[in-house]
Amino acid sequence: GLEGFPHYMLKEIYEQPDSLTAAMRGRLSDVDATAVFGGLNLTPQQLRNVNRIVLTACGTSWHAAMVGEYLIEELARIPVEVEYASELRYRNPPVEQGTLLFALTQSGETADTLAALREMKRKGHPSLAICNVVGSTIAHEADGGVYLHAGPEIGVASTKAYTSQVAVMTMLALYFGRLRHLSYEAGQRIITQLRKLPDLVRETLEVNGEVRRIAAKYAHANNFLYLGRQFNFPTALEGALKLKEISYIHAEGYPAAEMKHGPIALVDQHTPSVFLMPQGGVYDKVMSNLEEIKARGGPVIAIAAKGDKEIARLADDVIYVPVVEEFLSPLINIVPLQLLAYHVAVHRGCDVDKPRNLAKSVTVE
Ligand code: M6R
């Protein structure tokens, strides 16, 4: 049941501290400073010989795969490609030996994702699933994989499955990193950070009231831009998809610096831009992108780290979230964007849990 929540989507957003705990349960080893997975079904040799990873998925799961690309390349130094399943199934790309496929899917029933998995399997590549629904078609057909253990996700807009997928991607990056160059100390540090995550997400949820206020202010806009860089470029894509799906407002996610190559022409006083501004290597760069938007009269909503004093001077509205290391920031920053989409949709009187034209799982191609 809804357990007092007005919608499943909100309930599932609030379940994230628990679903993340479940995703990590029994999968972090202090002794070896790595992640452990029971069901990959590959020999240590096979795993050590992986020299390329292909991630395939649709929709929100594809965004989780995009975060995975940044994580695995950064922590494990293995080249990663992210493919839309609907493209991969017909594209016939050259795939080298030593390539491992992961299909990411909440439902395990998405037709295109299933077809892409079958195609890669047919070509002899080990093909694994990262899946939520136990015993689903994709979980069953894959050579092995990792369950999310997020519990049932009822809302059509995926929320807790997304953060669990990103958490699993982080653990896989740690795992492959530790098979290669990542030191014991570095592995330990990542584990320590991961363990703090559920509490940090709980703390992030405290922005709910503030987000509801901001949502009311912007709920009448017809267009939104979502901008972020590096680990948070996929966060921008996912924030935009959430808003589109349930509020029917047109929204685009972009890597912040791509703005000036076209989309900046959309900016006017009625087009809010949501900026992802975590502390880290590209903060100053994102800030100058933000200034370009302000200079053209666009309202700015910033998701920034607590303690950031500079941002309040420039952004129209700021949502402050806990400070985390850059590689974990997608898991924190998506929470206010889920809430923003939710409150905007409620404000507009939309059917949050069952948006028009959409089904929970897309079992036709
Ligand atoms: O069950 P799957 O993860 O394979 O579903 C993929 C997409 O259909 C799904 O993520 C869709 O984009 C959601 N409605 C997003 O909220």
Side-chain angles (χ1 to χ4, degrees), residues 121-289:
K121 249 186 99 166
R122 188 186 63 75
K123 289 181 167 165
H125 302 289
S127 301
L128 308 180
I130 296 170
C131 187
N132 194 35
V133 177
V134 176
S136 57
T137 309
I138 292 173
H140 179 78
E141 289 202 17
D143 296 318
V146 184
Y147 278 122
L148 302 178
H149 301 307
E153 192 182 63
I154 312 286
V156 165
S158 181
T159 53
K160 63 174 178 171
Y162 173 76
T163 44
S164 292
Q165 285 168 330
V166 173
V168 167
M169 285 283 117
T170 314
M171 290 188 287
L172 281 169
L174 167 63
Y175 175 78
F176 283 105
R178 288 283 294 137
L179 284 182
R180 296 174 161 227
H181 69 282
L182 208 65
S183 70
Y184 182 88
E185 286 72 23
Q188 245 342 312
R189 260 194 43 218
I190 293 170
I191 289 181
T192 306
Q193 303 292 318
L194 276 170
R195 288 219 172 98
K196 291 185 185 149
L197 203 63
D199 281 338
L200 290 168
V201 169
R202 200 167 285 124
E203 186 185 331
T204 308
L205 287 165
E206 290 169 14
V207 301
N208 185 46
E210 179 67 359
V211 175
R212 194 193 303 126
R213 184 190 67 75
I214 294 170
K217 180 170 165 191
Y218 295 101
H220 302 290
N222 293 319
N223 296 287
F224 268 77
L225 293 169
Y226 285 75
L227 302 162
R229 295 181 79 156
Q230 305 286 304
F231 292 105
N232 286 288
F233 161 42
T235 312
L237 297 177
E238 173 59 6
L241 179 63
K242 288 288 88 92
L243 189 73
K244 272 183 267 208
E245 274 192 294
I246 60 167
S247 75
Y248 319 139
I249 297 175
H250 170 238
E252 289 195 49
Y254 260 94
E258 270 295 303
M259 280 305 297
K260 42 187 163 312
H261 301 285
I264 200 161
L266 295 171
V267 171
D268 62 16
Q269 63 195 27
H270 307 294
T271 307
S273 293
V274 180
F275 268 88
L276 297 152
M277 305 284 300
Q279 295 298 316
V282 289
Y283 179 87
D284 292 341
K285 302 285 179 189
V286 185
M287 186 60 98
S288 53
N289 299 143

Side-chain angles (χ1 to χ4, degrees), residues 77-89:
R77 315 297 306 158
I78 299 173
V80 177
E81 274 156 67
V82 181
E83 297 265 3
Y84 281 114
S86 55
E87 288 296 306
L88 180 59
R89 65 181 294 187

Side-chain angles (χ1 to χ4, degrees), residues 283-313:
Y283 179 87
D284 292 341
K285 302 285 179 189
V286 185
M287 186 60 98
S288 53
N289 299 143
L290 189 155
E291 283 168 359
E292 288 157 19
I293 302 282
K294 280 310 302 171
R296 285 159 186 84
V300 167
I301 305 162
I303 314 298
K306 283 183 184 167
D308 183 337
K309 294 198 180 70
E310 221 182 322
I311 190 72
R313 207 165 39 81

Side-chain angles (χ1 to χ4, degrees), residues 58-61 104-110 113 156-158 165 238 241-242 245 358-362:
C58 303
T60 284
S61 298
L104 288 80
T105 171
Q106 188 285 129
S107 63
E109 302 296 344
T110 302
T113 309
V156 165
S158 181
Q165 285 168 330
E238 173 59 6
L241 179 63
K242 288 288 88 92
E245 274 192 294
L358 292 170
K360 183 61 184 163
S361 55
V362 183

